[in-house]
Amino acid sequence: MSSVSQPQTPVFRKLSHAITDTLGETSLKVIPWSYSACNFTYALLGDRGGYFAKLFTDRSAGYESALKRYLRERRLLGQNWPIAMPKLRYFSDADQLLVTDEIQGHGVLHFLENRQERAALEQILRWTAAFHEAAQSVPVCEDALIFCQREALFDASALSDAQKATLKAHPIDRLVITKGDMSLQNFKFTAEGAVPIDFEYAGFRPFEYDLVVLIDQMARFSKLSKADLSVLVADIYKSHRPALQSTFLADTLNILSRVCTITPVDKALN
Protein backbone atom coordinates (compact mmCIF):
# COMPACT_ATOMS: atom_id res chain seq x y z
CA MET A 1 0.00 0.00 0.00
CA SER A 2 1.30 3.44 -0.86
CA SER A 3 1.91 5.85 1.98
CA VAL A 4 3.39 9.26 2.73
CA SER A 5 4.85 10.07 6.14
CA GLN A 6 3.22 13.20 7.46
CA PRO A 7 4.73 16.63 8.12
CA GLN A 8 2.70 19.35 9.81
CA THR A 9 0.20 19.77 6.97
CA PRO A 10 -2.83 17.71 5.90
CA VAL A 11 -2.17 18.10 2.18
CA PHE A 12 0.19 15.12 1.98
CA ARG A 13 -2.24 12.93 3.87
CA LYS A 14 -5.03 13.82 1.44
CA LEU A 15 -2.86 13.40 -1.66
CA SER A 16 -0.84 10.40 -0.45
CA HIS A 17 -2.06 7.88 -3.02
CA ALA A 18 -2.17 10.35 -5.90
CA ILE A 19 1.43 11.47 -5.34
CA THR A 20 2.93 8.02 -4.84
CA ASP A 21 1.01 6.52 -7.77
CA THR A 22 2.09 9.34 -10.12
CA LEU A 23 5.73 9.04 -9.08
CA GLY A 24 5.69 5.25 -9.18
CA GLU A 25 6.70 5.01 -5.54
CA THR A 26 5.30 2.68 -2.90
CA SER A 27 6.08 5.13 -0.12
CA LEU A 28 7.60 8.54 0.43
CA LYS A 29 9.27 10.16 3.40
CA VAL A 30 8.38 13.84 3.69
CA ILE A 31 10.99 16.13 5.23
CA PRO A 32 10.11 19.81 5.84
CA TRP A 33 12.83 21.75 4.04
CA SER A 34 12.20 25.48 4.30
CA TYR A 35 9.49 28.09 4.53
CA SER A 36 9.10 31.71 3.52
CA ALA A 37 6.43 34.34 4.03
CA CYS A 38 4.25 32.63 1.44
CA ASN A 39 5.54 29.09 0.67
CA PHE A 40 6.49 25.81 2.31
CA THR A 41 8.96 23.43 0.66
CA TYR A 42 9.63 19.77 1.37
CA ALA A 43 12.10 17.08 0.36
CA LEU A 44 10.37 13.84 -0.65
CA LEU A 45 12.46 10.65 -0.44
CA GLY A 46 11.33 7.48 -2.20
CA ASP A 47 12.84 4.18 -3.31
CA ARG A 48 13.12 5.36 -6.90
CA GLY A 49 14.56 8.81 -6.23
CA GLY A 50 14.28 12.15 -4.51
CA TYR A 51 11.79 14.94 -5.19
CA PHE A 52 11.08 18.52 -4.21
CA ALA A 53 7.60 19.71 -3.21
CA LYS A 54 6.45 23.32 -3.04
CA LEU A 55 3.21 24.34 -1.34
CA PHE A 56 1.94 27.85 -2.13
CA THR A 57 0.03 29.56 0.68
CA ASP A 58 -1.72 32.82 1.50
CA ARG A 59 -0.27 32.96 5.01
CA SER A 60 1.11 36.51 4.67
CA ALA A 61 -0.48 39.69 3.40
CA GLY A 62 1.28 41.82 0.82
CA TYR A 63 1.92 39.05 -1.70
CA GLU A 64 0.06 37.93 -4.78
CA SER A 65 -2.44 35.17 -4.17
CA ALA A 66 -1.11 31.64 -3.80
CA LEU A 67 -3.22 30.51 -6.74
CA LYS A 68 -1.80 33.16 -9.09
CA ARG A 69 1.80 32.39 -8.12
CA TYR A 70 1.20 28.64 -8.31
CA LEU A 71 -0.40 28.77 -11.75
CA ARG A 72 2.39 30.95 -13.12
CA GLU A 73 5.10 28.53 -11.97
CA ARG A 74 3.15 25.43 -13.00
CA ARG A 75 2.58 26.83 -16.48
CA LEU A 76 6.28 27.60 -17.00
CA LEU A 77 7.50 24.25 -15.66
CA GLY A 78 4.95 22.46 -17.82
CA GLN A 79 6.44 23.78 -21.06
CA ASN A 80 9.03 21.93 -23.13
CA TRP A 81 12.22 23.95 -22.70
CA PRO A 82 15.47 23.34 -24.61
CA ILE A 83 17.42 24.31 -21.48
CA ALA A 84 17.91 22.94 -17.97
CA MET A 85 14.72 23.26 -15.92
CA PRO A 86 13.21 21.40 -12.96
CA LYS A 87 11.13 18.47 -14.22
CA LEU A 88 7.51 18.76 -13.13
CA ARG A 89 6.29 15.38 -11.87
CA TYR A 90 3.01 16.10 -10.08
CA PHE A 91 0.70 19.05 -9.43
CA SER A 92 -2.57 19.75 -7.66
CA ASP A 93 -4.46 22.87 -8.70
CA ALA A 94 -6.87 22.55 -5.80
CA ASP A 95 -4.06 22.48 -3.23
CA GLN A 96 -1.53 24.66 -5.09
CA LEU A 97 1.16 21.98 -4.77
CA LEU A 98 4.00 21.25 -7.22
CA VAL A 99 6.36 18.27 -7.12
CA THR A 100 9.54 18.23 -9.22
CA ASP A 101 12.52 15.91 -9.44
CA GLU A 102 15.28 16.65 -6.97
CA ILE A 103 18.18 18.54 -8.56
CA GLN A 104 21.46 16.84 -7.71
CA GLY A 105 23.94 19.67 -7.23
CA HIS A 106 25.47 22.11 -4.78
CA GLY A 107 24.47 25.64 -3.87
CA VAL A 108 26.19 28.96 -4.56
CA LEU A 109 27.96 28.91 -1.18
CA HIS A 110 30.54 26.57 -2.74
CA PHE A 111 31.61 29.44 -5.02
CA LEU A 112 31.32 32.27 -2.52
CA GLU A 113 33.44 30.57 0.13
CA ASN A 114 36.22 30.13 -2.44
CA ARG A 115 35.92 33.67 -3.85
CA GLN A 116 34.80 32.28 -7.21
CA GLU A 117 32.11 34.81 -8.03
CA ARG A 118 33.00 34.76 -11.71
CA ALA A 119 32.60 30.97 -11.93
CA ALA A 120 29.14 31.24 -10.35
CA LEU A 121 28.15 34.09 -12.66
CA GLU A 122 29.40 32.18 -15.71
CA GLN A 123 27.03 29.31 -14.99
CA ILE A 124 24.06 31.46 -13.95
CA LEU A 125 24.39 33.80 -16.94
CA ARG A 126 24.86 30.96 -19.42
CA TRP A 127 21.49 29.62 -18.28
CA THR A 128 19.90 33.10 -18.12
CA ALA A 129 20.96 34.01 -21.66
CA ALA A 130 19.64 30.69 -22.99
CA PHE A 131 16.35 31.20 -21.12
CA HIS A 132 15.88 34.67 -22.57
CA GLU A 133 16.62 33.34 -26.07
CA ALA A 134 14.14 30.47 -25.69
CA ALA A 135 11.38 32.41 -23.90
CA GLN A 136 8.36 34.02 -25.51
CA SER A 137 8.84 37.71 -26.26
CA VAL A 138 6.82 40.73 -27.36
CA PRO A 139 8.16 43.76 -29.29
CA VAL A 140 8.14 47.25 -27.77
CA CYS A 141 9.73 50.55 -28.73
CA GLU A 142 11.10 52.63 -25.88
CA ASP A 143 14.29 53.25 -23.93
CA ALA A 144 15.50 52.24 -20.47
CA LEU A 145 14.66 55.62 -18.93
CA ILE A 146 11.08 55.66 -20.21
CA PHE A 147 10.49 52.03 -19.21
CA CYS A 148 11.80 52.46 -15.66
CA GLN A 149 9.88 55.68 -15.15
CA ARG A 150 6.66 54.14 -16.42
CA GLU A 151 7.08 51.12 -14.15
CA ALA A 152 8.08 53.37 -11.20
CA LEU A 153 11.31 51.43 -10.63
CA PHE A 154 13.11 54.53 -9.38
CA ASP A 155 12.75 58.22 -8.61
CA ALA A 156 14.00 60.00 -11.73
CA SER A 157 14.90 63.06 -9.66
CA ALA A 158 17.70 61.01 -8.07
CA LEU A 159 19.46 60.67 -11.45
CA SER A 160 22.05 63.04 -12.86
CA ASP A 161 21.67 64.39 -16.37
CA ALA A 162 24.50 62.09 -17.49
CA GLN A 163 22.75 59.04 -16.03
CA LYS A 164 19.48 59.98 -17.70
CA ALA A 165 21.30 60.36 -21.02
CA THR A 166 22.87 56.91 -20.66
CA LEU A 167 19.51 55.28 -19.94
CA LYS A 168 17.84 57.18 -22.77
CA ALA A 169 20.52 55.89 -25.16
CA HIS A 170 19.82 52.27 -24.14
CA PRO A 171 16.94 50.95 -26.29
CA ILE A 172 14.30 48.55 -25.02
CA ASP A 173 12.91 46.87 -28.13
CA ARG A 174 11.59 43.62 -26.71
CA LEU A 175 10.12 42.20 -23.51
CA VAL A 176 10.93 38.57 -22.73
CA ILE A 177 9.81 36.19 -20.03
CA THR A 178 12.28 36.91 -17.25
CA LYS A 179 12.79 34.72 -14.21
CA GLY A 180 12.13 37.64 -11.89
CA ASP A 181 13.60 36.22 -8.70
CA MET A 182 17.34 35.83 -9.31
CA SER A 183 18.20 35.10 -5.67
CA LEU A 184 21.46 33.16 -5.55
CA GLN A 185 19.90 30.42 -3.42
CA ASN A 186 17.49 29.74 -6.27
CA PHE A 187 20.20 28.09 -8.36
CA LYS A 188 21.67 24.61 -8.08
CA PHE A 189 24.98 23.84 -9.76
CA THR A 190 25.48 20.49 -11.46
CA ALA A 191 28.17 18.99 -13.69
CA GLU A 192 26.21 20.34 -16.68
CA GLY A 193 25.76 23.86 -15.28
CA ALA A 194 23.29 25.94 -13.31
CA VAL A 195 19.70 24.74 -12.84
CA PRO A 196 17.20 27.28 -11.44
CA ILE A 197 14.26 26.82 -9.13
CA ASP A 198 11.41 29.17 -8.19
CA PHE A 199 9.54 30.74 -11.10
CA GLU A 200 6.53 32.19 -9.30
CA TYR A 201 7.57 35.78 -10.13
CA ALA A 202 8.37 35.25 -13.80
CA GLY A 203 7.06 37.99 -16.06
CA PHE A 204 7.38 39.96 -19.26
CA ARG A 205 10.16 42.51 -18.76
CA PRO A 206 13.33 43.68 -20.50
CA PHE A 207 16.07 41.04 -20.19
CA GLU A 208 18.10 43.62 -18.26
CA TYR A 209 15.75 43.14 -15.31
CA ASP A 210 17.16 39.70 -14.44
CA LEU A 211 20.71 41.03 -14.75
CA VAL A 212 20.07 43.97 -12.41
CA VAL A 213 18.55 41.68 -9.78
CA LEU A 214 21.52 39.30 -10.12
CA ILE A 215 24.01 42.15 -9.64
CA ASP A 216 22.14 43.32 -6.55
CA GLN A 217 22.16 39.78 -5.14
CA MET A 218 25.84 39.11 -5.84
CA ALA A 219 26.88 42.51 -4.43
CA ARG A 220 25.59 41.40 -1.02
CA PHE A 221 28.21 38.63 -0.83
CA SER A 222 31.03 39.80 -3.10
CA LYS A 223 33.81 42.28 -2.46
CA LEU A 224 33.38 43.48 -6.03
CA SER A 225 31.58 46.81 -6.45
CA LYS A 226 28.32 47.08 -8.37
CA ALA A 227 30.26 48.90 -11.09
CA ASP A 228 32.70 45.99 -11.43
CA LEU A 229 29.89 43.44 -11.27
CA SER A 230 27.97 45.34 -13.97
CA VAL A 231 30.94 45.09 -16.36
CA LEU A 232 31.46 41.42 -15.52
CA VAL A 233 27.77 40.50 -15.89
CA ALA A 234 27.43 42.43 -19.15
CA ASP A 235 30.54 40.82 -20.67
CA ILE A 236 29.55 37.28 -19.70
CA TYR A 237 25.93 37.70 -20.75
CA LYS A 238 26.84 39.16 -24.16
CA SER A 239 29.32 36.33 -24.74
CA HIS A 240 26.36 33.93 -24.63
CA ARG A 241 24.21 36.14 -26.87
CA PRO A 242 26.66 37.26 -29.56
CA ALA A 243 23.90 38.67 -31.78
CA LEU A 244 22.82 41.07 -29.02
CA GLN A 245 23.46 44.70 -29.91
CA SER A 246 23.84 46.53 -26.60
CA THR A 247 26.72 49.01 -26.57
CA PHE A 248 25.86 50.63 -23.25
CA LEU A 249 24.76 47.49 -21.36
CA ALA A 250 27.39 47.67 -18.59
CA ASP A 251 26.75 51.39 -17.98
CA THR A 252 22.99 50.82 -17.95
CA LEU A 253 23.24 47.92 -15.50
CA ASN A 254 25.51 49.93 -13.22
CA ILE A 255 23.02 52.81 -13.04
CA LEU A 256 19.95 50.62 -12.62
CA SER A 257 21.55 48.41 -9.96
CA ARG A 258 22.23 51.53 -7.90
CA VAL A 259 18.91 53.36 -8.21
CA CYS A 260 16.19 50.80 -8.93
CA THR A 261 13.85 49.46 -6.29
CA ILE A 262 13.18 45.96 -7.54
CA THR A 263 10.27 43.85 -6.37
CA PRO A 264 9.61 40.52 -8.15
CA VAL A 265 5.88 41.14 -8.50
CA ASP A 266 6.46 44.03 -10.95
CA LYS A 267 4.83 43.04 -14.25
CA ALA A 268 4.59 39.39 -13.28
CA LEU A 269 3.33 37.03 -15.95
CA ASN A 270 -0.42 36.58 -15.48
Side-chain angles (χ1 to χ4, degrees), residues 46-198:
D47 294 330
R48 298 168 61 90
Y51 312 91
F52 180 80
K54 183 174 180 179
L55 181 65
F56 297 75
T57 75
D58 287 315
R59 57 194 295 261
S60 295
Y63 291 85
E64 287 184 301
S65 71
L67 180 59
K68 180 176 279 190
R69 290 181 287 109
Y70 158 81
L71 288 174
R72 184 182 299 128
E73 185 156 346
R74 191 206 74 185
R75 185 161 68 247
L76 275 175
L77 294 183
Q79 296 181 29
N80 291 319
W81 294 93
I83 55 175
M85 295 283 277
K87 183 177 180 180
L88 182 61
R89 298 295 302 273
Y90 174 86
F91 61 87
S92 170
D93 290 350
D95 300 281
Q96 289 121 52
L97 176 74
L98 298 176
V99 178
T100 60
D101 279 340
E102 178 187 17
I103 299 170
Q104 298 287 344
H106 60 77
V108 74
L109 190 61
H110 167 82
F111 294 106
L112 299 180
E113 288 181 338
N114 293 287
R115 299 290 304 279
Q116 296 178 333
E117 295 99 329
R118 184 184 182 99
L121 288 172
E122 283 276 5
Q123 293 198 35
I124 292 173
L125 289 166
R126 184 185 308 121
W127 179 89
T128 304
F131 179 64
H132 292 163
E133 287 280 2
Q136 180 184 357
S137 64
V138 293
V140 294
C141 184
E142 52 193 6
D143 58 57
L145 180 63
I146 292 175
F147 176 83
C148 292
Q149 286 179 315
R150 177 164 52 77
E151 300 300 324
L153 296 183
F154 57 60
D155 180 2
S157 65
L159 297 175
S160 67
D161 289 341
Q163 288 175 321
K164 290 179 181 178
T166 298
L167 295 183
K168 195 164 185 60
H170 186 85
I172 302 293
D173 59 5
R174 189 163 294 275
L175 303 183
V176 301
I177 299 179
T178 53
K179 186 177 184 297
D181 186 351
M182 295 290 286
S183 300
L184 299 179
Q185 66 266 28
N186 285 341
F187 287 88
K188 289 287 189 178
F189 299 88
T190 72
E192 289 74 37
V195 183
I197 58 174
D198 198 353

Side-chain angles (χ1 to χ4, degrees), residues 213-226:
V213 178
L214 179 60
I215 290 167
D216 180 69
Q217 288 289 309
M218 185 61 79
R220 302 180 188 189
F221 304 98
S222 172
K223 292 186 177 181
L224 295 175
S225 68
K226 284 190 174 182

